[in-house]
Amino acid sequence: QVQLVESGGGLVQAGGSLRLSCAASGRTFSRDAMGWFRQAPGKEREFVAAISWSGGTDYADSVKGRFTISRDNAKNTVYLQMNSLKPEDTAVYYCAANTRPDYSRAYSSSYEYDYWGQGTQVTVSS
């Protein structure tokens, strides 16, 4: 069974940076497609970034050019580097895994993910 544990959230001023980590265990992580989603208070969960089994990436328009998703298969970890943070980036950030992915697909729909972490809070002050 896949377990995902996020870390790296916190409070940061607008314009600052954070790096989120998601440590995976319980299966061969290198063959999973991974994604980051976020949910702000009173809003639905939304797609942030995804990385395919082959390393291809996809981003929400709202974070393109500011966020970077990457993976280290040797460490079973996926990262989300967040730069130039804005107050509207404030949310709980969730890591997710698709355990039966197509090789080159990065998935942007939450329905395409099988496992989820517990989330980590990111708060950006103005």
Side-chain angles (χ1 to χ4, degrees):
Q1 182 176 351
V2 174
Q3 290 186 327
L4 304 174
V5 179
E6 302 98 333
S7 61
L11 174 64
V12 64
Q13 289 188 334
S17 298
L18 283 174
R19 188 177 80 157
L20 305 184
S21 299
C22 173
S25 63
R27 59 177 279 107
T28 305
F29 164 79
S30 61
R31 296 185 177 184
D32 292 344
M34 304 296 294
W36 286 96
F37 291 76
R38 67 187 182 187
Q39 187 167 18
K43 295 187 177 181
E44 294 188 351
R45 189 171 298 187
E46 66 174 3
F47 169 70
V48 176
I51 188 165
S52 70
W53 178 7
S54 64
T57 58
D58 189 21
Y59 297 92
D61 288 343
S62 60
V63 307
K64 280 181 181 176
R66 300 189 298 122
F67 291 11
T68 302
I69 188 171
S70 62
R71 64 191 302 161
D72 185 336
N73 290 338
K75 295 183 178 180
N76 285 349
T77 300
V78 64
Y79 303 98
L80 185 68
Q81 178 66 45
M82 306 186 295
N83 299 328
S84 302
L85 283 161
K86 304 175 181 180
E88 52 262 44
D89 294 318
T90 295
V92 177
Y93 283 71
Y94 298 91
C95 172
N98 178 319
T99 59
R100 291 178 288 180
D102 291 335
Y103 180 65
S104 61
R105 277 195 65 188
Y107 297 85
S108 60
S109 171
S110 61
Y111 298 105
E112 295 173 305
Y113 288 87
D114 309 300
Y115 295 95
W116 293 82
Q118 82 289 349
T120 186
Q121 176 70 46
V122 171
T123 302
V124 184
S125 63
S126 57

